[in-house]
Amino acid sequence: MSRRAVIGGGSGFLGTALREALEADGYEVAVIGREGPDARWDDPAAVRRLVDGAELLIGLAGRSINCRFTDRNRDEILQSRVDTTRVLHDAVAQAEHPPAVWMNASSATIYRYALDRAQTESDTEFDTGFSPDVARTWEAELFRGELPRTRRVALRITIVLGDGDATALLFRLARFGVGGPQFDGWWFPHRRYRGIGPEPTEPEQPLGRRSRGYQRFSWIHIDDFIGAVRTIRDDDAIEGPVNLAAPGVVTNRGLMKALRRVVGMPFGLPAWRFMLEPAMWVLRTEPELVLKSRWIAPAVLERAGYVFRFPAIEPALSDIRARR
């Protein structure tokens, strides 16, 4: 008999890649989504039937953050994560045969802005404001209460290089000749990054930090995302938060240089925050992708012996470019 895995929110590029990998591993994969196909989020009884008896449960649901943080979008980003995680939690709690392991997406934006050293799972100096508050509230729902027969893991995911919106934006910047470093700095005060959730926190002010293009960029290749999930599944000692990040963190300058080499663009114009803000407004997204310093280390995965297929940025980008 085939084993069953359940993916909550499997319609995006992460869920699609994960489903294909699990099917290759011999799983029968069921997907929960707004429209199914195997169960809908607004039908908790159907979700319970899928989860009961499943060997593996992976929650990836949540509205895309590739948008402007308007009040409506902020609320949808938070609630889409918390509400779907609550549905999964209730299903696991009520299952006669609950899954052995439940991995649920979270975000590495939970960690503080770091230029001094990498942040590992043992660091508790969390950032403040909207994105960190979303991650904290999301994880609180995952780890709520006792589920003694199910190992729970929060996947603190960095930027995943693959067939996603973030990767497409980075390649687009490089191809169009604006793939120089991005410099943070002053901008008009706004409240889009204010805290949210049951215990909202205020973001540090001012918004801009003069990192001079040396803000860190943490990332993971889609193949290593899949490899990390398999490692977590197979290692019963892994529970709690796990950073999904390659060891080869780069500066923004290094990232953009690698992108230019990969796309064959000999130059890249630099951009300051006062240029990025109106450009990102036109693109209907936020400049956090290239301006926030995320310096994340995969300490748990490395202790577990996971060997990254793509530990360095340029080979990872070249591989993704070749697949597009």
Side-chain angles (χ1 to χ4, degrees):
M1 296 180 62
S2 63
R3 301 171 293 173
R4 184 163 80 251
V6 177
I7 301 176
S11 61
F13 95 95
L14 285 183
T16 300
L18 188 57
R19 178 174 187 169
E20 292 173 355
L22 292 175
E23 287 176 341
D25 290 345
Y27 285 91
E28 173 192 345
V29 180
V31 176
I32 308 165
R34 284 174 295 181
E35 304 298 330
D38 301 300
R40 298 193 316 271
W41 291 113
D42 61 0
D43 187 353
V47 174
R48 286 196 297 272
R49 287 193 294 270
L50 281 185
V51 169
D52 198 346
E55 179 180 306
L56 176 64
L57 174 61
I58 302 175
L60 298 174
R63 188 202 194 286
S64 171
I65 60 170
N66 184 34
C67 62
R68 298 292 285 179
F69 293 168
T70 62
D71 288 351
R72 178 178 177 178
N73 288 343
R74 282 163 44 88
D75 289 341
E76 288 183 0
I77 287 169
L78 176 65
Q79 292 308 131
S80 64
R81 285 156 172 75
V82 175
D83 290 350
T84 53
T85 302
R86 183 176 298 120
V87 171
L88 295 180
H89 191 288
D90 292 346
V92 173
Q94 296 169 25
E96 184 178 354
H97 302 287
V101 59
W102 171 19
M103 300 178 222
N104 208 70
S106 181
S107 173
T109 59
I110 196 170
Y111 295 110
R112 67 173 174 84
Y113 185 106
L115 290 171
D116 56 338
R117 62 178 179 83
Q119 306 290 290
T120 71
E121 294 87 350
S122 62
D123 283 287
T124 57
E125 291 181 87
F126 295 150
D127 209 343
T128 56
F130 174 64
S131 295
D133 283 356
V134 169
R136 273 192 296 270
T137 308
W138 202 359
E139 290 189 10
E141 186 59 36
L142 167 65
F143 293 119
R144 171 173 58 89
E146 297 293 327
L147 297 176
R149 293 184 288 169
T150 298
R151 178 165 53 95
R152 287 175 281 182
V153 178
L155 305 175
R156 289 180 176 170
I157 305 171
T158 55
I159 302 298
V160 181
L161 300 181
D163 191 25
D165 293 337
T167 311
L169 175 61
L170 292 172
F171 277 122
R172 193 180 307 127
L173 290 173
R175 284 199 309 270
F176 292 164
V178 288
Q182 285 90 32
F183 300 112
D184 206 346
W186 182 87
W187 185 247
F188 298 101
H190 62 74
R191 297 286 291 160
R192 297 196 308 277
Y193 299 160
R194 70 189 183 278
I196 197 170
E199 297 181 4
T201 60
E202 281 301 307
E204 269 194 55
Q205 297 293 335
L207 290 173
R209 302 177 187 236
R210 302 200 180 278
S211 52
R212 297 178 291 118
Y214 291 105
Q215 63 269 28
R216 267 51 174 189
F217 179 83
S218 289
W219 55 278
I220 188 169
H221 188 285
I222 182 62
D223 288 357
D224 284 316
F225 174 86
I226 299 298
V229 167
R230 284 172 168 151
T231 296
I232 295 166
R233 175 197 64 192
D234 297 338
D235 190 334
D236 292 340
I238 299 178
E239 60 183 340
V242 177
N243 292 343
L244 268 59
V249 65
V250 292
T251 64
N252 176 265
R253 290 173 182 263
L255 166 69
M256 302 314 293
K257 185 181 293 185
L259 279 164
R260 294 196 302 272
R261 283 196 293 259
V262 168
V263 303
M265 176 59 69
F267 67 90
L269 298 176
W272 284 261
R273 181 181 276 273
F274 74 85
M275 301 163 64
L276 285 169
E277 287 282 358
M280 295 300 187
W281 179 82
V282 172
L283 294 172
R284 306 311 298 162
T285 189
E286 294 286 345
E288 277 194 338
L289 171 65
V290 292
L291 290 182
K292 183 173 181 179
S293 188
R294 299 178 176 93
W295 193 348
I296 313 300
V300 170
L301 288 174
E302 290 183 326
R303 283 200 303 270
Y306 181 71
V307 178
F308 282 81
R309 183 178 175 188
F310 293 96
I313 188 68
E314 191 163 339
L317 290 170
S318 296
D319 179 78
I320 296 300
R321 173 75 166 169
R323 300 185 189 191
R324 297 177 73 85

